[in-house]
Amino acid sequence: MFFIDIKVNNLKIDKYQKKVIKSKSQNILVIAGAGSGKTFTIIAKIKYLINRGLLPEEILCISFTKASSENLEEKLKKENININVKTFHKLGYEIIRQYKNVSLDDTILEKTIKKEVEKNKCLKEILKLKFIRLGYPDQIFNRLETNIILNTKYKKILIETIKTFINLYKSNNYRLKEFKNFYKVNNKHLYEEKKRHTCFLKLTKRIIINYEKKLKKEKKIDYHDMINLSTKIIRTKGIFPYKYIIIDEYQDISLNKVKLIKEIQKKTNAKLMAVGDDWQSIYSFTGSNLEVFTNFKQIFKKAKIIKLKNTYRNSKELIKITKKFICKNQKQIRKRLKSNKKNKTPIYVYYYKENIEEIWREIIKNISKKTLILGRNNNDIEKIPIIKENMQYLTIHKSKGLESEDTIIVNLEDHFNGIPSKIKDSEYLIYVKPKIDKYKYAEERRLFYVALTRAKNNNYLLVKKDNPSEFIKEILKSNKKNIIEMPSTKNNH
């Protein structure tokens, strides 16, 4: 009888959520599909643990962003539970500050990169640039080459590549000795490629050395140090004796964050509940590693996997469309989501000939409730003619975890920066990026899945008639009866 009384916001838990809440396993991975009541389940689990005798301060609750942690904290307060929900970085910083007088600085890296790039003699090789001499003497020609590189987009591209490399390097908690392995990998390249990669690796190694010296000298740390340094401190000093750890959005976790959690468990023997959805893993560019999710039982012993199978957001028809789309990639965990909601045609494809303005008034006529407008990039907002009060523009990345009555999705063109984006990672990131997902547009496919599953009711996809994206062609080909296509007409406005 004790358990039956667990409710959140006066709503009862379903049988799959009940399995999670009652589980006594040392480590649980909760696979929570879109709209399956992930936050609801976390709150119910915390209520259950407190009812069983745990103190709120003995529960370490972690969410990925400041906004999501504050949101969860507020929802817990409504249930009369006062828990300080932390981000990984906040947790790490609190641990470090107990022993070291340091402060955060995220500007030193770029300054260090710029300084080293500007005096490097191999930029032409690294950037794969070729210049035609046209009779200039060596000294003048070399100066011209350098000026062109340092005063054009090439310098910016290189700086961003090095910054991404170092961020991924530190998110893996690598040390300088790892460069020996990088050089071994590079030895497999052919002569020109090997020479180019050697130049890049030498430059990047020198930047890392100088960057770390600068941080130490000025008593500064970066975001990755908040994780890596706190892990080291816990290993030697210990940590507050937590009894339970709960991690939200686990599919976005990086290797160094896993090491932090494992170190906390070694010191406290705390149980772990990780909650997430591999179908919504969209942050590999920040260091998240999907292998940590798919190999949960190998990483955390005495582990159990529980799937939440009911979704309370999307209709049966939308679930069918999105599952067919996301499951083209066989490397992801299979799951079956169920819904009591029905909507025969949850997707409307609106075609335009030249720009969205042609069809915009027709679309907003149908929109009366809360609506998210989603794009691939920040500047996609410039494509929107008018944003009404009940509308909000977000990138798809920022929309994860949110829901709305209806969703409008833009930038669905077959374009290098559309959905899917065809911008390729720099060849130099092979040393630091996870290599597990070779499926074409794997992460872009998950990104589009996230976009489609925000809507409780309808998705309105805005598509250029003569240049639809590959994803649009694919979902139309296999879901004709559940998608309505609206013909393009320049007279709609």
Side-chain angles (χ1 to χ4, degrees):
M1 291 300 292
F2 163 78
F3 184 77
I4 295 168
D5 292 335
I6 294 285
K7 290 182 183 178
V8 175
N9 202 19
N10 289 322
L11 297 171
K12 286 188 177 180
I13 59 171
D14 67 32
K15 64 179 181 179
Y16 306 107
Q17 294 164 344
K18 186 175 180 178
K19 275 186 189 177
V20 173
I21 295 157
K22 287 189 76 176
S23 176
K24 294 177 181 176
S25 295
Q26 178 67 24
N27 299 297
I28 316 166
L29 174 62
V30 180
I31 301 178
S36 61
K38 171 173 66 74
T39 305
F40 177 90
T41 306
I42 289 171
I43 295 169
K45 179 74 175 184
I46 291 169
K47 283 185 87 167
Y48 179 71
L49 292 171
I50 290 170
N51 284 351
R52 301 283 288 188
L54 259 67
L55 299 172
E57 57 267 30
E58 292 175 323
I59 301 168
L60 173 59
C61 192
I62 304 171
S63 196
F64 263 77
T65 65
K66 187 180 177 185
S68 63
S69 61
E70 287 173 352
N71 181 262
L72 179 53
E73 204 170 288
E74 282 301 311
K75 286 180 178 176
L76 284 163
K77 277 179 185 170
K78 287 177 183 173
E79 300 294 324
N80 297 315
I81 299 169
N82 288 310
I83 284 183
N84 183 3
V85 182
K86 305 174 193 289
T87 62
F88 271 101
H89 293 114
K90 184 181 178 184
L91 170 65
Y93 196 46
E94 285 176 359
I95 294 164
I96 293 164
R97 290 288 301 217
Q98 291 176 46
Y99 301 97
K100 290 182 178 287
N101 182 24
V102 292
S103 58
L104 173 69
D105 192 314
D106 58 357
T107 64
I108 294 174
L109 178 57
E110 187 154 341
K111 289 174 189 171
T112 309
I113 294 171
K114 280 181 182 175
K115 187 177 177 181
E116 291 298 326
V117 163
E118 284 168 6
K119 64 184 184 184
N120 191 269
K121 304 295 183 191
C122 292
L123 298 184
K124 185 172 68 172
E125 287 79 6
I126 292 170
L127 289 162
K128 292 197 289 185
L129 298 174
K130 293 191 188 304
F131 293 90
I132 300 170
R133 182 176 290 277
L134 295 175
Y136 288 105
D138 284 356
Q139 196 175 0
I140 296 172
F141 182 70
N142 291 340
R143 200 181 306 136
L144 280 170
E145 279 184 345
T146 304
N147 283 339
I148 289 168
I149 292 168
L150 295 181
N151 293 287
T152 58
K153 66 178 182 180
Y154 298 114
K155 178 184 170 185
K156 187 180 177 185
I157 290 167
L158 181 56
I159 287 169
E160 285 304 311
T161 300
I162 295 170
K163 195 193 293 184
T164 302
F165 183 101
I166 293 172
N167 280 324
L168 291 169
Y169 169 92
K170 292 195 76 170
S171 75
N172 288 315
N173 202 4
Y174 285 154
R175 297 287 182 266
L176 284 174
K177 63 183 180 182
E178 198 67 37
F179 274 85
K180 287 181 182 176
N181 294 326
F182 298 163
Y183 285 123
K184 281 180 187 174
V185 172
N186 187 28
N187 283 335
K188 296 173 186 175
H189 291 137
L190 297 175
Y191 177 74
E192 282 298 328
E193 196 174 10
K194 182 180 175 182
K195 184 181 172 186
R196 190 166 71 241
H197 279 241
T198 300
C199 287
F200 178 86
L201 289 170
K202 282 182 177 177
L203 170 60
T204 308
K205 186 178 181 181
R206 187 160 60 251
I207 290 167
I208 291 170
I209 291 167
N210 291 338
Y211 174 52
E212 296 299 340
K213 279 182 185 174
K214 186 82 170 166
L215 286 173
K216 191 173 182 181
K217 184 182 176 184
E218 297 191 12
K219 295 186 177 178
K220 303 290 186 185
I221 57 172
D222 62 22
Y223 283 105
H224 301 294
D225 293 327
M226 288 180 176
I227 310 302
N228 300 337
L229 188 53
S230 61
T231 304
K232 193 175 176 181
I233 288 170
I234 292 168
R235 196 175 298 134
T236 56
K237 307 285 187 183
I239 190 173
F240 181 84
Y242 292 109
K243 291 183 178 175
Y244 214 101
I245 303 167
I246 295 173
I247 304 173
D248 190 12
E249 302 288 4
Y250 181 76
Q251 75 280 343
D252 295 326
I253 202 168
S254 55
L255 286 174
N256 62 345
K257 288 171 183 149
V258 170
K259 287 176 181 175
L260 172 61
I261 293 301
K262 286 181 75 69
E263 206 57 55
I264 294 171
Q265 281 193 304
K266 276 182 194 174
K267 294 293 181 184
T268 64
N269 199 35
K271 291 185 176 182
L272 168 68
M273 182 175 92
V275 186
D277 180 11
D278 59 313
W279 292 2
Q280 297 183 69
S281 177
I282 56 174
Y283 281 101
S284 69
F285 62 92
T286 66
S288 74
N289 189 328
L290 194 51
E291 205 166 45
V292 172
F293 192 99
T294 54
N295 290 345
F296 185 83
K297 281 189 171 182
Q298 286 74 47
I299 295 165
F300 294 97
K301 305 306 177 190
K302 298 179 184 175
K304 185 175 184 179
I305 294 174
I306 303 173
K307 297 177 184 178
L308 300 184
K309 295 183 181 179
N310 290 328
T311 177
Y312 301 94
R313 181 190 303 154
N314 306 139
S315 63
K316 288 179 180 178
E317 292 79 6
L318 185 59
I319 290 168
K320 185 180 174 185
I321 294 168
T322 54
K323 182 180 178 181
K324 198 184 295 182
F325 176 78
I326 198 70
C327 284
K328 288 283 178 72
N329 185 350
Q330 297 291 325
K331 283 198 173 180
Q332 293 165 153
I333 297 169
R334 308 292 289 185
K335 58 184 81 80
R336 186 167 63 93
L337 292 172
K338 301 182 289 184
S339 173
N340 290 325
K341 293 177 74 173
K342 291 183 181 179
N343 182 359
K344 192 178 178 184
T345 52
I347 294 178
Y348 290 76
V349 176
Y350 275 80
Y351 292 106
Y352 58 91
K353 290 180 180 176
E354 291 173 18
N355 59 62
I356 287 171
E357 199 169 344
E358 300 163 24
I359 54 173
W360 191 248
R361 287 189 184 178
E362 186 63 32
I363 289 165
I364 60 176
K365 259 193 334 191
N366 300 318
I367 304 293
S368 58
K369 297 174 183 174
K370 181 186 171 188
T371 301
L372 282 176
I373 306 170
L374 303 179
R376 177 65 183 77
N377 315 294
N378 285 319
N379 60 8
D380 285 342
I381 192 171
E382 294 166 13
K383 298 178 170 70
I384 314 301
I386 302 166
I387 296 180
K388 296 167 75 178
E389 275 183 35
N390 60 333
M391 296 176 168
Q392 180 186 13
Y393 176 81
L394 291 171
T395 62
I396 302 170
H397 282 97
K398 287 180 181 171
S399 77
K400 190 152 72 67
L402 301 179
E403 63 182 20
S404 63
E405 298 298 325
D406 294 316
T407 302
I408 298 169
I409 308 174
V410 301
N411 199 358
L412 292 165
E413 287 187 50
D414 187 8
H415 187 257
F416 79 99
N417 209 12
I419 308 173
S421 170
K422 299 184 179 185
I423 298 173
K424 291 184 178 177
D425 288 332
S426 164
E427 62 184 285
Y428 301 122
L429 297 182
I430 60 165
Y431 305 99
V432 286
K433 272 203 93 173
K435 304 175 182 66
I436 62 161
D437 216 337
K438 302 282 187 186
Y439 193 80
K440 187 181 180 185
Y441 301 135
E443 190 153 313
E444 291 294 308
R445 184 171 289 269
R446 293 193 288 269
L447 191 68
F448 192 45
Y449 174 82
V450 168
L452 290 172
T453 54
R454 299 309 92 197
K456 292 181 185 177
N457 298 320
N458 298 320
N459 280 291
Y460 297 91
L461 313 186
L462 313 192
V463 179
K464 195 167 186 184
K465 180 65 178 173
D466 62 358
N467 194 34
S469 82
E470 290 181 44
F471 288 169
I472 291 295
K473 290 177 184 175
E474 183 182 322
I475 65 165
L476 283 171
K477 189 176 178 181
S478 54
N479 301 284
K480 283 284 186 187
K481 68 177 183 179
N482 297 118
I483 298 176
I484 293 178
E485 293 181 81
M486 306 298 287
S488 67
T489 166
K490 290 189 75 171
N491 297 322
N492 281 354
H493 71 299

